[in-house]
């Protein structure tokens, strides 16, 4: 059996992280290695916590994921399961990812994610399946089903897994990204360039805990423009175009040649 690691990057969200730990404790296949990369947050403590210096105004999520993966591989992990700090897991999620990676170690695996409603709080771990309603913008195969995904732009980093060798082939996340947006889309492109395939596993289900958000995320406009520009330089197209169009309608960003810039009023 492969050694499997579960990796999370966190800054704040302490209650969400505690709930995630509780959900992992219900796993029918417990992780062999657990790493939480705490980005500039000394309040996150524990033997599995890896502290990473960070500017809270521009959190280095990519760097945090890379440090977590390095620590897990150094501890002998062969299967890397990445979870967003807001995600809870079903009892079978970790085991499902482990089996999927064993079946296709040359693939990047994602599972369906349900955005949990605020009114259902506090979330009962033994009743998450009753709230199962995967996000409509991503494929959601049934438990027991696996489907290939040719659209790499649909990769997201809320919940995914891959073999350590596949991780090495990608080169990890690009640490030029800091703050909100684009580092996961970039990672998908790096995985595709490395010759990996993207697959969905319906048994690897996760549940995203509610927190307030802005739509579009105008408070992250500067980071979205900056990271979008980095991505454009790497891959020749702009990610997050829907958000950029919506923020342009609000006067927060503007067209700048074939790209985007902050509007003067937002500087």
């Amino acid at each position: 059996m492969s050694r499997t690691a579960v990796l999370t990057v966190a800054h704040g969200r302490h209650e969400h992280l505690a709930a995630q730990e509780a959900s992992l404790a219900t796993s029918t296949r417990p992780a062999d290695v657990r790493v939480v990369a705490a980005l500039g947050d000394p309040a996150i403590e524990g033997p599995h916590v890896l502290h990473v210096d960070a500017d809270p105004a521009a959190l280095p999520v990519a760097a945090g994921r890379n440090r977590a993966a390095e620590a897990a591989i150094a501890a002998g992990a062969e299967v890397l399961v990445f979870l967003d700090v807001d995600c809870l897991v079903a009892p079978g999620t970790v085991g499902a990812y482990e089996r999927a990676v064993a079946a296709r170690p040359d693939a990047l695996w994602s599972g369906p994610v349900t955005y949990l409603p605020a009114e259902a709080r506090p979330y009962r771990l033994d009743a998450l399946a009753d709230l199962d309603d995967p996000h409509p913008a991503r494929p959601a195969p049934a438990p027991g089903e696996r489907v290939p995904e040719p659209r790499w732009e649909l990769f997201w980093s809320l919940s995914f897994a891959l073999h350590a060798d596949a991780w090495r082939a990608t080169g990890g996340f690009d640490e030029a990204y800091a703050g909100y947006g684009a580092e996961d889309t970039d990672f998908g492109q790096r995985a595709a360039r490395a010759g990996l395939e993207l697959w969905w596993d319906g048994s690897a289900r996760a549940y995203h805990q509610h927190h307030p958000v802005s739509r579009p995320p105008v408070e992250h406009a500067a980071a979205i423009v900056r990271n979008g520009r980095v991505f454009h330089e790497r891959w020749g197209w702009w990610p997050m175009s829907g958000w950029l169009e919506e923020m342009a309608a609000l006067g927060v960003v503007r067209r700048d040649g074939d790209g985007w810039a902050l509007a003067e009023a937002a500087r």
Side-chain angles (χ1 to χ4, degrees), residues 217-226 244 246-255 260-267:
V218 293
E219 68 273 25
H220 298 296
I224 287 172
V225 169
R226 178 191 175 279
L244 288 163
E246 291 176 23
M247 288 192 289
L250 296 174
V252 177
V253 302
R254 60 176 175 81
R255 275 289 184 183
W260 296 89
L262 282 179
E264 293 301 323
R267 291 181 181 276

Side-chain angles (χ1 to χ4, degrees), residues 7-11 35-39 44 48-52 63-65 67-68:
L7 316 176
T8 301
V9 171
H11 173 86
V35 182
V36 175
L39 304 183
I44 299 176
H48 55 271
V49 174
L50 174 68
H51 287 281
V52 179
R65 290 192 180 120
R67 300 293 89 74

Side-chain angles (χ1 to χ4, degrees), residues 28 38 53 55 79 95 108 119 134 158 163 173 178 181 185-186 193 203 213 227 267:
T28 55
D53 291 336
D55 176 1
V79 177
L108 181 59
E119 58 271 19
L158 291 177
H163 195 277
F173 282 81
T185 309
D186 181 279
R193 184 178 62 188
S203 295
V213 295
N227 287 340
R267 291 181 181 276

Side-chain angles (χ1 to χ4, degrees), residues 146-178:
R146 296 172 180 162
V147 297
E149 176 56 74
R151 298 166 294 176
W152 274 101
E153 66 274 15
L154 293 187
F155 169 74
W156 57 359
S157 56
L158 291 177
S159 171
F160 71 98
L162 74 172
H163 195 277
D165 289 341
W167 167 264
R168 294 186 187 97
T170 68
F173 282 81
D174 188 334
E175 297 185 17
Y177 296 93

Side-chain angles (χ1 to χ4, degrees), residues 92-206:
T93 299
V94 175
Y97 271 139
E98 182 181 66
R99 292 189 298 274
V101 170
R104 292 196 65 96
D106 58 346
L108 181 59
W109 288 92
S110 289
V113 178
T114 291
Y115 276 75
L116 296 171
E119 58 271 19
R121 293 178 296 184
Y123 305 119
R124 287 178 46 199
L125 297 180
D126 61 352
L128 291 176
D130 296 337
L131 301 172
D132 192 76
D133 185 19
H135 195 286
R138 296 294 191 278
E145 293 183 350
R146 296 172 180 162
V147 297
E149 176 56 74
R151 298 166 294 176
W152 274 101
E153 66 274 15
L154 293 187
F155 169 74
W156 57 359
S157 56
L158 291 177
S159 171
F160 71 98
L162 74 172
H163 195 277
D165 289 341
W167 167 264
R168 294 186 187 97
T170 68
F173 282 81
D174 188 334
E175 297 185 17
Y177 296 93
Y180 194 85
E183 87 286 341
D184 51 355
T185 309
D186 181 279
F187 184 75
Q189 297 299 300
R190 290 162 74 94
R193 184 178 62 188
L196 304 185
E197 295 183 0
L198 178 59
W199 281 71
W200 296 89
D201 188 318
S203 295
R205 302 181 99 78

